[in-house]
Amino acid sequence: MLTIEDYYVSLFPNYHPTRVLTLVYQPFAFGLTCFFAYYEATMNTRKRNLAGFALFFLSSFALILLDVGTKGHGGIPAYIGVCIISAFFGTSDALVQGGLVGDLSLMCPEFIQSFLSGLAASGVITSALRLITKAAFENSQNGLRNGAMLFFSVTCMFELACLLLYAFVFPKLPIVKYYRQKAASEGSKTVGSDLAAAGIKTDQDRQVEEDTQKHERLSTKELLMQNIDYALDIFLIYVLTLSIFPGFLSEDTGSHGLGTWYALVLITMYNVLDLIGRYIPLIKCLKLTNRKGLMVAILARFLFIPAFYFTAKYGDQGYMIFLTSFLGLTNGYLTVCVLAEAPNGYKGPEQNALGNVLVVCLLGGIFSGVVLDWMWLIGKGW
């Protein structure tokens, strides 16, 4: 939705859609993720993720139906409809992101890196897709709308593919079955239906009764206290990032030679460098694992705030593109360093719980950053 911000800004020019849609989305994503993290030990992870992917698909399709029903006209009713769908996207995110990060945390760090890189790759693909559809329809009648509808049609296909892959392919991968069986042997209650989907039966309740001491695990509170620095790390990464991206980049960077393409180019550069940053930790000598070093690097990122302020006021578009690229690079790199390192040394059920806790902190940082993003509007008459 944010990648087609140029379409929504043209439909709802007086309602700050890039900021409001994110602000509507985040309470649902954050609030429900907190709820799911609290009950993660007894939650059916398979049903949770399938429900999330299905809701993502239906919400994407609903945006197309809403636009067709309103014939591409703006107004309050259409805006409220888009905001409601944004809330459904937040609910989907709460279901899927915490569920998958928890699920992958009990496997191996490389899976977390791969998943996080996939998140960044989705940003690159959506940005590229939006640039292509905008260029293809730019000079035609209703070109902006037609490009947006083609964009959403392709995203629906991606969401449906995700749903089918998770339902029928992922649980049957040998390495996935191995780690889930290992987690089940360590007392995890969240992988039973996943193993059943792969044709593996477990007698978990009997195993737990036979050896309760073996299956004891740290509580969620104990895990949080042991990893409070990682939790703060991931929170601060996204507070800073979302206080700048995408609202500030979409609305507060002035007028430049790229015109309506400028915000799209900034968002694309952020996404591309975010993806590159998530692959850097695969090079072991470049991966930052020192806990104090991570905190220093994350706190240093707050220098981006004055840098963006003065660049928007006095710099040209080249400096802004460079800063945005560096923001994306550091965001991706530090996210992988924290989320891949934190679960090491814990049993499967504990890794799942810690993964869910860190996603709560991540979404809490996003929500706080989205709220703080509005401070850029101080003194601008809104």
Side-chain angles (χ1 to χ4, degrees), residues 198-212:
I200 300 171
K201 294 182 180 179
T202 59
D203 193 4
Q204 199 174 49
D205 292 335
R206 184 175 60 81
Q207 291 175 357
V208 173
E209 287 174 9
E210 288 176 354
D211 194 353
T212 53

Side-chain angles (χ1 to χ4, degrees), residues 9-45:
V9 167
S10 71
L11 273 187
F12 314 111
N14 299 319
Y15 304 133
H16 298 278
T18 53
R19 286 186 164 97
V20 172
L21 291 179
T22 313
L23 195 58
V24 171
Y25 172 102
Q26 284 305 326
F28 288 89
F30 178 60
L32 288 171
T33 302
C34 290
F35 173 81
F36 293 138
Y38 186 78
Y39 291 104
E40 59 77 29
T42 56
M43 191 161 289
N44 187 317
T45 304

Side-chain angles (χ1 to χ4, degrees), residues 265-324:
V265 169
L266 289 178
I267 291 171
T268 301
M269 290 305 298
Y270 170 89
N271 285 325
V272 169
L273 271 295
D274 184 40
L275 174 61
I276 292 171
R278 294 179 190 225
Y279 278 100
I280 293 175
L282 288 178
I283 305 170
K284 288 190 177 181
C285 63
L286 297 179
K287 184 180 180 182
L288 185 57
T289 57
N290 183 276
R291 295 171 84 143
K292 289 183 179 178
L294 279 169
M295 181 62 75
V296 169
I298 288 161
L299 291 175
R301 291 181 81 236
F302 280 84
L303 293 172
F304 275 123
I305 293 176
F308 271 96
Y309 175 79
F310 288 110
T311 302
K313 199 166 185 179
Y314 305 110
D316 62 19
Q317 59 192 25
Y319 289 111
M320 185 61 76
I321 291 171
F322 169 77
L323 267 183
T324 304

